[in-house]
């Protein structure tokens, strides 16, 4: 049984990712990732195709695109964590999330396919973080011009997801559940 992965110290992250770390309000990263997974699976399984394709404004992503974005970002954050844990000091570049979203063709996919992929990605992320030692979690590296610890990247992953879940609830589902006039 692995020890809980507690909240990162402020010196373990910098810049805009601090907002994501702050949203990952959990005493244990693995429990937080698991709880978020369970919540998302329950929320999305009950949505209609119309709701999954809804965009709350022109140029905004659909819920399917948001989900694929979350998986893309989680994979990138996990890759960065792996590189840093293995003490690779190569500075890692950022990525263009909008280009990724357009290229994903998420809206053409079946939700069951997206959820199956989400399950695989989340399982891999959890197992990766469970494999890290205390020393691994404190290793740092630079990505997108920011210095971060492995532990902070785990909390960025969770906080980024929490951020997008709030947007889905407030801007997508609240609008799609309003009565027609």
């Amino acid at each position: 049984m692995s020890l809980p992965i507690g909240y990162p110290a402020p010196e373990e992250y910098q810049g805009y990712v601090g907002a994501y770390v702050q949203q990952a309000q959990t005493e244990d990263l693995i429990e937080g990732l698991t709880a978020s997974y369970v919540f998302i699976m329950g929320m999305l399984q009950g949505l209609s195709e119309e709701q999954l394709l809804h965009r709350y404004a022109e140029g905004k992503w659909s819920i399917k695109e948001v989900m694929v974005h979350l998986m893309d970002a989680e994979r990138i954050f996990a890759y960065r964590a792996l590189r840093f844990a293995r003490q690779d000091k190569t500075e890692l570049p950022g990525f263009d999330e909008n280009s990724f979203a357009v290229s994903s063709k998420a809206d053409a996919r079946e939700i069951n396919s997206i959820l199956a992929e989400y399950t695989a990605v989340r399982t891999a992320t959890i197992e990766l973080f469970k494999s890290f030692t205390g020393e691994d979690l404190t290793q740092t590296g630079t990505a997108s011009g920011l210095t971060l610890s492995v532990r902070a990247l785990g909390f960025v992953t969770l906080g980024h997801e929490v951020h997008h879940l709030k947007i889905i609830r407030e801007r997508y589902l609240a609008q799609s559940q309003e009565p027609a006039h």
Side-chain angles (χ1 to χ4, degrees):
M1 182 172 180
S2 59
L3 295 173
I5 300 173
Y7 212 73
E11 59 270 12
E12 292 184 58
Y13 56 91
Q14 55 184 202
Y16 69 91
V17 299
Y20 293 138
V21 171
Q22 298 302 317
Q23 290 190 59
Q25 298 179 4
T26 182
E27 296 297 316
D28 179 23
L29 176 63
I30 302 303
E31 287 180 7
L33 289 169
T34 302
S36 185
Y37 166 79
V38 169
F39 179 82
I40 286 176
M41 292 297 284
M43 177 183 70
L44 293 182
Q45 288 175 338
L47 298 182
S48 68
E49 186 69 9
E50 181 181 0
Q51 288 173 307
L52 292 167
L53 295 174
H54 174 71
R55 297 167 192 276
Y56 68 88
E58 186 175 330
K60 297 298 181 181
W61 298 338
S62 69
I63 291 176
K64 284 184 176 184
E65 287 172 325
V66 171
M67 282 305 301
V68 172
H69 163 70
L70 289 174
M71 291 185 291
D72 288 348
E74 184 163 333
R75 282 183 167 116
I76 290 166
F77 297 151
Y79 173 73
R80 290 172 177 175
L82 175 64
R83 295 274 303 258
F84 298 170
R86 301 298 189 254
Q87 300 183 33
D88 182 342
K89 297 302 179 186
T90 306
E91 185 168 339
L92 302 176
F95 69 104
D96 181 347
E97 63 190 35
N98 291 310
S99 173
F100 273 47
V102 170
S103 300
S104 75
K105 300 172 186 52
D107 286 345
R109 293 181 60 186
E110 295 292 326
I111 190 60
N112 288 338
S113 169
I114 292 171
L115 294 177
E117 182 181 356
Y118 175 64
T119 298
V121 170
R122 181 51 51 91
T123 300
T125 298
I126 287 172
E127 292 305 317
L128 177 65
F129 275 89
K130 284 169 61 175
S131 78
F132 292 146
T133 65
E135 182 182 347
D136 293 337
L137 291 167
T138 62
Q139 295 299 318
T140 61
T142 304
S144 299
L146 303 172
T147 300
L148 305 161
S149 72
V150 171
R151 176 186 10 252
L153 280 163
F155 280 82
V156 167
T157 301
L158 179 57
H160 176 252
E161 186 167 86
V162 169
H163 164 77
H164 282 286
L165 282 173
K166 287 179 184 176
I167 293 171
I168 288 172
R169 285 196 314 269
E170 294 169 5
R171 298 185 188 166
Y172 290 82
L173 299 181
Q175 287 183 357
S176 68
Q177 294 172 355
E178 292 175 4
H181 297 286

